[in-house]
């Protein structure tokens, strides 16, 4: 609370606008704001890392819809739009989603600046940092609910039919909670007591919200690549292993060879895990590596036909072995006997590529009498075993 007052008291537009920059600078480039400005949707972006969880960005559409100016909105918490008739059930669902870093879709009664209330479909989703798995921002899209679909006491059941068809959204994890039911929401079992009005959005409105979320997250993801702090709308399986159970990290940590894991489902296949031996070999810190595509190891003298060969293997989902000139952080080069191989998750789908690096002619690597091929195969096998724990332990249970 005090922090928020602090933000508010620092006068005028410039200070407040700089809150957007302050929040975005670590994760995105400044150009992300221009890209967001081009979107027609009504949405806000909030930063849970700043005290009071303030709005750090509000779209033009949102400002028009709410009647507030940008200066009045930036730096404030989303609850300023709520009022006496705002449905508490929905507010609680949103609060819980924030706490658990999950997506949520609810109907919400908000108030404009002039005090007039309006129903909207509120869809929110968290955005994660690949580097450390932290939630960097929440994106919240608001689609005004049109028509007169206000339900009271469940009388107008017709309007509820088919309104919870998750599959039309194509985004299971962000789909509406069908269990919350339609019609009035009772605060207690006794009918008629404190019935809260509830307004259901149409399928069209739900699709619109889901689509807007997807667009916004893809813009954020795109612009985050420039700062190598990739974000992504999904926590499970997609945004690095930092989040995925300590047992996986421990299993991977036992593998002594130099290797990295890249996530095939993220744009540009960023590295989501790098072994200690890899960091030692290349001279980079872990956070300089995570979130980047492996090609940063290439340099001036790297043979482009070898690079192409690697690219083709990945496209065909095939393993391959190459000898490639790579560069360390200090600029020195080394010949890398690189083996890459796809790794499947428990459902048999390719989820990652593992890349195993062996420095050619490195004496410490040649004491155990194993050929590079044997060592590479052993490493890939160990990674596959470690990732199987991941698929079973983390993803399948949390996607429910
Ligand atoms: C944004 O809100 C306005 C109401 O101010 C509404 O007419 C418009 O359809 C909304 N835009 C989107 C893309 O949902
Ligand atoms: C992605 O970001 C680049 C800048 O890095 C920009 O030029 C491009 O238009 C963006 N693409 C999309 C689809 O936003
Ligand atoms: C395996 O990956 C596919 C494709 O990303 C995904 O749909 C599936 O849920 C994953 N299975 C498990 C068990 O993680």
């Amino acid at each position: 609370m005090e922090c928020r007052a602090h933000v508010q008291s620092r006068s005028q537009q410039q200070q407040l606008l700089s809150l957007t920059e302050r929040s975005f600078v670590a994760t995105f480039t400044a150009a992300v704001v221009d890209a967001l400005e081009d979107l027609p949707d009504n949405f806000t972006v909030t930063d849970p890392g700043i005290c009071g969880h303030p709005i750090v960005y509000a779209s033009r559409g949102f400002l028009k819809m709410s009647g507030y100016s940008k200066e009045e909105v930036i730096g404030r918490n989303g609850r300023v739009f709520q009022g006496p008739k705002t449905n508490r059930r929905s507010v609680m669902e949103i609060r819980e989603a924030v706490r658990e870093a999950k997506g949520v879709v609810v109907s919400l009664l908000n108030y404009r600046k002039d005090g007039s209330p309006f129903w909207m479909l509120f869809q929110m989703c968290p955005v994660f940092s690949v580097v450390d798995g932290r939630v960097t921002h929440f994106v919240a899209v608001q689609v005004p609910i049109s028509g007169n679909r206000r339900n009271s006491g469940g009388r107008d059941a017709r309007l509820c039919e088919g309104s919870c068809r998750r599959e039309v959204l194509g985004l299971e994890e962000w789909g509406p909670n069908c269990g919350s039911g339609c019609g009035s929401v009772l605060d207690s079992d006794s009918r008629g007591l404190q019935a809260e009005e509830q307004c259901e959005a149409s399928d069209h409105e739900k699709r619109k919200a889901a689509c807007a979320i997807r667009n916004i997250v893809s813009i954020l993801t795109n612009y985050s690549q420039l700062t190598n702090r990739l974000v992504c709308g999904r926590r499970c399986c997609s945004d690095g292993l930092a989040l995925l159970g300590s047992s996986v990290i421990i299993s991977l940590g036992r593998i002594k060879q130099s290797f990295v894991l890249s996530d095939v489902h993220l744009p540009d296949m960023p590295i989501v895990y790098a072994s200690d031996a890899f960091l030692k070999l290349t001279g980079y810190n872990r956070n300089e590596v995570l979130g980047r595509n492996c090609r940063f190891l290439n340099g001036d003298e790297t043979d482009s036909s070898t690079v192409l060969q690697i690219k083709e293997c990945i496209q065909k989902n095939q393993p391959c072995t190459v000898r490639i000139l790579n560069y360390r952080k200090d600029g020195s080069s080394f010949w890398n006997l690189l083996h890459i191989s796809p790794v499947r998750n428990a459902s048999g789908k390719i989820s990652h590529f593992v890349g195993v690096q062996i420095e050619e002619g490195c004496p410490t690597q040649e004491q155990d009498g194993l050929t590079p091929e044997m060592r590479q195969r052993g490493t890939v096998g160990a990674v596959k075993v470690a990732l199987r724990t991941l698929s079973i332990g983390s993803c399948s249970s949390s996607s429910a």
Side-chain angles (χ1 to χ4, degrees):
M1 277 310 196
E2 269 144 26
C3 302
R4 233 177 74 218
H6 175 66
V7 166
Q8 288 289 295
S9 71
R10 295 174 62 180
S11 62
Q12 296 310 314
Q13 198 172 341
Q14 300 234 314
Q15 296 287 353
L16 290 167
L17 288 182
S18 79
L19 186 66
T20 308
E21 288 157 17
R22 245 198 297 153
S23 172
F24 281 177
V25 72
T27 325
F28 314 107
T29 60
V32 74
V33 173
D34 293 334
L36 294 177
E37 289 286 308
D38 285 342
L39 294 177
D41 307 292
N42 306 321
F43 67 99
T44 55
V45 180
T46 59
D47 186 338
I50 298 177
C51 182
H53 191 181
I55 293 169
V56 295
Y57 178 81
S59 73
R60 280 180 293 120
F62 177 87
L63 298 172
K64 194 161 169 236
M65 179 183 73
S66 66
Y68 287 95
S69 69
K70 189 170 268 183
E71 299 75 57
E72 289 169 319
V73 168
I74 304 293
R76 304 181 79 174
N77 182 281
R79 79 175 82 85
V80 302
F81 306 107
Q82 296 159 15
K85 288 205 167 160
T86 300
N87 38 338
R88 278 177 294 142
R89 196 61 64 97
S90 298
V91 172
M92 270 154 54
E93 279 186 53
I94 295 168
R95 218 174 283 162
E96 182 166 316
V98 168
R99 200 170 49 233
E100 294 182 0
K102 290 201 312 212
V104 68
V105 188
V106 289
S107 302
L108 191 65
L109 185 75
N110 263 3
Y111 288 76
R112 298 187 188 87
K113 190 185 178 186
D114 65 12
S116 57
F118 66 104
W119 278 98
M120 54 147 178
L121 181 68
F122 178 96
Q123 178 160 5
M124 186 187 76
C125 93
V127 170
F128 298 97
S129 158
V130 159
V131 175
D132 55 11
R134 208 168 39 86
V135 177
T136 66
H137 296 90
F138 283 92
V139 173
V141 168
Q142 292 95 359
V143 174
I145 298 177
S146 60
N148 212 0
R149 280 187 304 279
R150 191 173 292 190
N151 297 323
S152 186
R155 260 177 286 140
D156 200 352
R158 181 178 51 85
L159 295 165
C160 301
E161 282 167 17
S163 60
C164 289
R165 293 206 337 262
R166 276 167 194 250
E167 65 273 18
V168 297
L169 289 168
L171 281 169
E172 297 79 18
E173 71 269 43
W174 296 333
N177 175 8
C178 292
S180 68
C182 300
S184 69
V185 178
L186 297 179
D187 262 359
S188 74
D189 284 345
S190 34
R191 220 153 218 296
L193 262 187
Q194 303 233 349
E196 283 189 335
E197 273 183 319
Q198 188 79 355
C199 193
E200 270 289 331
S202 67
D203 281 358
H204 173 69
E205 286 153 353
K206 288 175 182 174
R207 269 197 302 272
K208 205 164 150 185
C211 180
I213 285 268
R214 226 176 332 195
N215 284 340
I216 298 161
V217 170
S218 90
I219 285 180
L220 295 179
T221 306
N222 180 34
Y223 282 90
S224 69
Q225 289 176 49
L226 297 178
T227 53
N228 295 317
R229 289 201 166 23
L230 201 119
V231 296
C232 163
R234 281 196 292 170
R235 179 170 237 158
C236 182
C237 306
S238 300
D239 60 329
L241 297 172
L243 308 152
L244 294 172
S246 51
S247 65
V248 179
I249 302 288
I250 290 168
S251 305
L252 290 172
R254 290 205 191 99
I255 305 170
K256 296 298 170 219
Q257 293 290 333
S258 168
F259 72 97
V260 294
L261 272 182
S262 297
D263 189 324
V264 300
H265 294 303
L266 290 178
D268 206 30
M269 282 186 60
I271 295 172
V272 294
Y273 183 89
S275 72
D276 289 340
F278 175 86
L279 303 176
K280 194 161 168 241
L281 171 67
T282 60
Y284 287 97
N285 295 323
R286 187 161 271 120
N287 62 10
E288 291 171 322
V289 167
L290 297 184
R292 300 176 78 175
N293 183 285
C294 294
R295 76 174 80 83
F296 72 92
L297 292 174
N298 302 340
D300 293 344
E301 306 272 298
T302 304
D303 188 348
S304 55
S305 68
T306 311
V307 175
L308 197 65
Q309 205 184 329
I310 297 172
K311 205 168 159 188
E312 281 171 1
C313 289
I314 292 170
Q315 269 162 6
K316 291 183 193 152
N317 286 327
Q318 282 173 354
C320 69
T321 308
V322 297
R323 181 173 173 272
I324 185 170
L325 190 72
N326 277 162
Y327 290 78
R328 292 180 239 271
K329 188 182 177 184
D330 66 10
S332 63
S333 61
F334 63 99
W335 282 101
N336 180 2
L337 301 177
L338 173 68
H339 177 73
I340 64 166
S341 173
V343 184
R344 293 172 191 276
N345 70 10
S347 326
K349 293 277 189 325
I350 292 170
S351 60
H352 297 85
F353 257 87
V354 55
V356 186
Q357 300 80 16
I358 293 182
E359 183 180 357
E360 190 180 59
C362 180
T364 60
Q365 295 271 5
E366 283 162 10
Q367 279 164 3
D368 52 11
L370 296 176
T371 63
E373 292 74 27
M374 287 157 89
R375 256 202 306 268
Q376 284 164 338
R377 240 179 301 145
T379 307
V380 171
V383 168
K384 284 181 177 171
V385 170
L387 283 181
R388 219 165 287 151
T389 344
L390 174 156
S391 308
I392 296 162
S394 310
C395 298
S396 49
S397 59
S398 63
S399 64

